[in-house]
Amino acid sequence: MSTDSTTPTGATPVPDTAAPEAPAAEQPDAAEQPAAEQPAAGTTTGAIGDGSPAGEDAEQGWVARHSATLITLMVAVIVAAAAITGLTLYRHGVDEANADTEAAFAEMVSGQGAALETVECDGGTCAAVINGAAYTVLVQEDDNGEQHFGVTDFVGD
């Protein structure tokens, strides 16, 4: 041994105080062990675009990459088309109701022997020119669906 405590010159034996080792359990053959590194059947390994053979078929097309956007756009187009169709049908119904009111008013005026020059209805009111004078017509419908007209001198601009 050296007198310098920093560099030992001899090996110091370590007493063996550990318990005796238990015999190792028998390990099954490699054929019996489950393959931890093998992928399950039907799965592929490799990432898209990493150059591996499994990734070659997995490259997506433009439609597949943008499917969420395409679906969103298609839904928006369908909603817009449904809204336009609904608005068109509503306006058509309003126009038919106004035309029916105009026809009923024209029939009432001609039944009284007056000459109806023009009539334009919008909802519950009509503007009419009868024998050269302007009139405002108020339209009221009763429970039986019959229309009643109130005619007064033109009120408006």
Side-chain angles (χ1 to χ4, degrees), residues 13-150:
V14 177
D16 189 18
T17 58
E21 287 187 26
E26 258 187 61
Q27 295 193 3
D29 294 338
E32 295 176 4
Q33 291 181 354
E37 295 181 16
Q38 295 177 358
T43 60
T44 59
T45 59
I48 296 174
D50 67 354
S52 65
E56 288 177 12
D57 293 336
E59 185 175 327
Q60 296 178 341
W62 186 88
V63 173
R65 288 190 316 262
H66 296 95
S67 64
T69 304
L70 290 172
I71 291 170
T72 303
L73 289 174
M74 284 189 250
V75 168
V77 167
I78 290 169
V79 168
I84 290 170
T85 302
L87 182 62
T88 302
L89 291 173
Y90 170 76
R91 278 304 300 163
H92 180 69
V94 168
D95 289 344
E96 278 188 356
N98 288 337
D100 291 344
T101 302
E102 290 170 3
F105 181 70
E107 183 181 327
M108 193 237 359
V109 169
S110 66
Q112 294 181 356
L116 179 66
E117 295 175 23
T118 63
V119 63
E120 185 176 324
C121 294
D122 185 21
T125 61
C126 296
V129 176
I130 303 171
N131 294 333
Y135 293 97
T136 298
V137 180
L138 298 176
V139 182
Q140 195 172 32
E141 191 171 312
D142 63 11
D143 293 338
N144 297 330
E146 292 183 32
Q147 293 179 329
H148 303 281
F149 303 101

